[in-house]
Amino acid sequence: MRLTPDQQTAIRLPIHDIARREGIMLPDTEHAPRITIAGASGFIGTALCRELARDYPVTALTRSQARAQPPDPDTRITWRHCDLYDLAELTHALKDCDYAIYLVHSLAPSSRLTQAAPRDMDLILADNFARAAAANGIRQILFVSGLMPDTFRISTLLWSRREVEMALTAHGVPVTILRAGLVVGPGGSACRLMVELVRRIGIITLPPNARTRTRPIALADLIRAIRHTLGKPEQFRGHYDLGGPDCISYEDMLRTTARLLGLKRRFLTLPWLPSAIVAQGARWITGTPTDLVAPVMESLPRDTRLRDNPVQRFIDPGAIPFEQALNDALDHRRKRLLPNPRQPIHQKTRAALRQASRVRSIQRIIQPPGQDAAWVAGNYFRWLGDCCRPFVKTTVLTDPHTGEDTGYQVHLRPGGHLLLQLERDSQAGTKDRQIHRITGGLLARKEAQRGRFEFQSVLGGRYTMAAIHDFAPSLPWYLYLWSQAVAHLLVMRRYQRHLARLAR
């Protein structure tokens, strides 16, 4: 039976009256703010999209064309392909967004060849996101970070998370940081590693720090915390530690996993076991890629003390214990963790990257005091000619009226052949961000000239990130890998040392 508008209003009014009496805020579905989620195809992002779409229009950003192409059955979720390394594209993607949730990490491949440390990629992505959010007047960024241990010894992964926090807060947008440890849910990489270790090994050897304790949190509780803080930048600004009700060691989590899977396993904790050996063994046994195993093993639980805060107090009532959260995430029939939502598109994404055959290379350079990215860019291209004098020479192109650099050419000294031509994008560039489009030369594929060489100041001018994005080499791929790619990496490392000496 179809209700008339008057009948629908009569039904809605009591609901709003009850909500007002109980102090519950119901969203105005007709004028609800738009939420944009970056990193929406991961296991946290997928669940969060479904949850928030009940009350808000959601824009889900993904780097995968395969995920963005098919429309979502939920019409309130709009999937959009977005390259977060491209500031202009990201700024356009955040248009008309009110609140943004940042769930991005750089472990998933974004090009066929990547010459970059994960923490350097994370830093560029976060800086781009903060710049784009500020340009669009976004009212709040919400970021899920990692729990920071009470020690001076901190893993590379957690320090990368800390740098991301600093980058997101560097451009004036209010930021809410939820620091969580192990998130237990279907598709989580850490949970998958635990399950696969227990499934495949009868006697599990553990490093000594496997007995330290942490506070794993259920995915559902993390989403509750996100919903509670979303849209309240004045009330929740800064960082908040989150954890579940159980204070448990990694060894106990493995024992619980074995019990839930119905498997008898023996655990042996050794007094000394290098983390590198543990990571390689876990990769070989479980089949998990090295770029996922290493960060998980590196951030094994430390004795963590949660700082009391209002968000933790909000989720404490009804918080899900570790055993229940893991049990809900298991496929008991197959004795596996439920699959990651990104898993069906892995093969398509890798095939697309392989076909495009593009390169990304990022190096972190200490920025000399008092200088900026514009100075570093000009200095680099002038230094390059001296560094590679027997083989190449560089030509600086200048505007005859202003004397400013407009581009650079790299020539082969014997014969004078043009190897690369770069044109400075003066409209998109600023003093702390220089963009040079790769427009020609024998080493660049002519039909795919989307490559660019960017110099970007981050963390208040502490570093300049020198990054090549979307470069399509003209050389045959494997010849490129062992010639031009190696040469570029050696030159950039030498330049890093050169500017480090200047900075001292």
Side-chain angles (χ1 to χ4, degrees):
M1 180 180 69
R2 187 177 181 84
L3 299 178
T4 66
D6 290 340
Q7 290 172 321
Q8 293 174 0
T9 302
I11 292 175
R12 281 200 303 266
L13 282 175
I15 296 175
H16 284 272
D17 288 341
I18 294 171
R20 191 179 301 110
R21 185 171 62 249
E22 299 295 330
I24 301 172
M25 294 293 293
L26 291 180
D28 180 357
T29 55
E30 294 182 0
H31 303 94
R34 174 164 290 277
I35 312 298
T36 297
I37 302 176
S41 58
F43 88 104
I44 297 177
T46 300
L48 187 59
C49 283
R50 296 282 176 263
E51 176 66 24
L52 294 182
R54 299 176 182 178
D55 304 317
Y56 308 97
V58 173
T59 299
L61 303 184
T62 177
R63 72 186 72 179
S64 172
Q65 288 277 15
R67 181 62 189 90
Q69 286 171 355
D72 198 287
D74 191 332
T75 57
R76 291 179 69 84
I77 301 177
T78 303
W79 285 88
R80 179 178 295 173
H81 174 261
C82 180
D83 179 8
L84 270 66
Y85 289 103
D86 189 330
L87 180 59
E89 184 176 331
L90 177 57
T91 302
H92 178 72
L94 291 181
K95 188 178 180 182
D96 300 325
C97 167
D98 296 289
Y99 303 103
I101 300 174
Y102 190 78
L103 304 172
V104 176
H105 64 75
S106 61
L107 298 180
S110 60
S111 58
R112 188 174 180 182
L113 172 66
T114 300
Q115 294 177 322
R119 69 190 191 103
D120 293 341
M121 294 187 285
D122 282 333
L123 185 53
I124 281 188
L125 292 171
D127 187 71
N128 281 353
F129 196 82
R131 290 172 187 263
N136 282 283
I138 286 177
R139 288 180 266 172
Q140 180 190 28
I141 296 174
L142 197 151
F143 171 51
V144 176
S145 185
L147 279 177
M148 301 296 164
D150 293 326
T151 174
F152 290 106
R153 299 181 63 184
I154 184 170
S155 70
T156 303
L157 177 67
L158 289 179
W159 181 247
S160 175
R161 297 287 88 187
R162 182 70 186 100
E163 285 188 329
V164 169
E165 293 177 7
M166 292 188 289
L168 290 174
T169 58
H171 295 279
V173 179
V175 179
T176 302
I177 301 165
L178 302 181
R179 291 177 173 173
L182 175 68
V183 180
V184 185
S189 56
C191 289
R192 178 179 180 272
L193 188 60
M194 284 197 306
V195 171
E196 292 302 309
L197 281 173
V198 170
R199 283 184 63 247
R200 302 187 184 204
I201 308 177
I203 301 177
I204 301 175
T205 57
L206 299 171
N209 60 346
R211 286 182 173 172
T212 57
R213 295 179 175 274
T214 189
R215 295 274 296 273
I217 183 171
L219 176 59
D221 290 333
L222 177 60
I223 291 177
R224 281 203 296 137
I226 292 173
R227 291 207 62 154
H228 181 62
T229 56
L230 183 63
K232 305 170 186 175
E234 298 83 7
Q235 185 177 352
F236 298 106
R237 189 166 183 170
H239 57 81
Y240 303 88
D241 294 348
L242 298 181
D246 299 320
C247 187
I248 187 171
S249 70
Y250 190 71
E251 179 181 346
D252 289 336
M253 286 191 275
L254 288 171
R255 292 181 183 275
T256 301
T257 303
R259 185 172 66 254
L260 291 176
L261 293 175
L263 300 173
K264 292 184 178 180
R265 295 291 183 260
R266 294 187 62 186
F267 298 89
L268 179 62
T269 302
L270 301 180
W272 180 79
L273 188 60
S275 58
I277 294 178
V278 176
Q280 286 299 322
R283 183 197 65 80
W284 179 70
I285 292 167
T286 65
T288 306
T290 305
D291 55 1
L292 293 178
V293 171
V296 172
M297 300 306 298
E298 190 179 69
S299 58
L300 278 175
R302 304 289 190 267
D303 285 325
T304 305
R305 179 178 60 85
L306 297 187
R307 297 166 183 84
D308 180 60
N309 63 83
V311 185
Q312 180 63 45
R313 291 195 296 270
F314 171 79
I315 67 171
D316 273 339
I320 301 172
F322 169 78
E323 184 169 347
Q324 179 183 339
L326 181 60
N327 188 61
D328 293 342
L330 289 173
D331 181 345
H332 289 276
R333 183 179 61 83
R334 300 174 63 238
K335 294 186 182 297
R336 292 177 182 270
L337 195 71
L338 292 170
N340 190 304
R342 195 186 283 121
Q343 186 173 331
I345 63 174
H346 268 312
Q347 294 300 326
K348 291 182 180 180
T349 301
R350 291 184 178 274
L353 294 176
R354 184 178 181 84
Q355 183 178 5
S357 292
R358 296 186 182 276
V359 177
R360 192 180 313 284
S361 181
I362 302 172
Q363 283 75 41
R364 180 187 302 223
I365 299 170
I366 296 176
Q367 185 172 296
Q371 306 299 344
D372 52 30
W375 181 90
V376 174
N379 180 267
Y380 168 77
F381 285 108
R382 287 168 171 81
W383 171 89
L384 182 63
D386 295 332
C387 170
C388 306
R389 183 176 296 278
F391 308 106
V392 302
K393 65 176 181 179
T394 57
T395 303
V396 181
L397 307 177
T398 58
D399 188 315
H401 301 291
T402 63
E404 293 183 353
D405 295 357
T406 59
Y408 306 93
Q409 292 180 338
V410 181
H411 294 268
L412 186 67
R413 270 192 185 275
H417 298 291
L418 179 64
L419 298 179
L420 286 173
Q421 177 162 316
L422 303 97
E423 296 181 3
R424 187 169 71 90
D425 189 337
S426 57
Q427 293 184 343
T430 61
K431 285 290 185 182
D432 61 353
R433 185 185 184 87
Q434 292 286 294
I435 304 171
H436 300 85
R437 309 286 178 184
I438 301 173
T439 57
L442 296 175
L443 296 180
R445 207 187 312 159
K446 293 180 174 56
E447 72 276 10
Q449 292 178 357
R450 290 176 44 203
R452 61 194 188 278
F453 197 172
E454 296 187 4
F455 294 81
Q456 178 175 342
S457 291
V458 296
L459 299 182
R462 186 178 304 175
Y463 304 107
T464 290
M465 312 300 289
I468 292 179
H469 300 297
D470 291 328
F471 176 66
S474 62
L475 293 175
W477 184 253
Y478 291 102
L479 177 60
Y480 167 80
L481 287 181
W482 295 104
S483 58
Q484 187 181 346
V486 174
H488 172 74
L489 193 58
L490 293 175
V491 167
M492 290 306 302
R493 285 179 176 172
R494 186 172 178 182
Y495 186 65
Q496 285 175 305
R497 294 193 295 269
H498 169 69
L499 274 203
R501 286 193 297 270
L502 287 183
R504 288 197 296 267

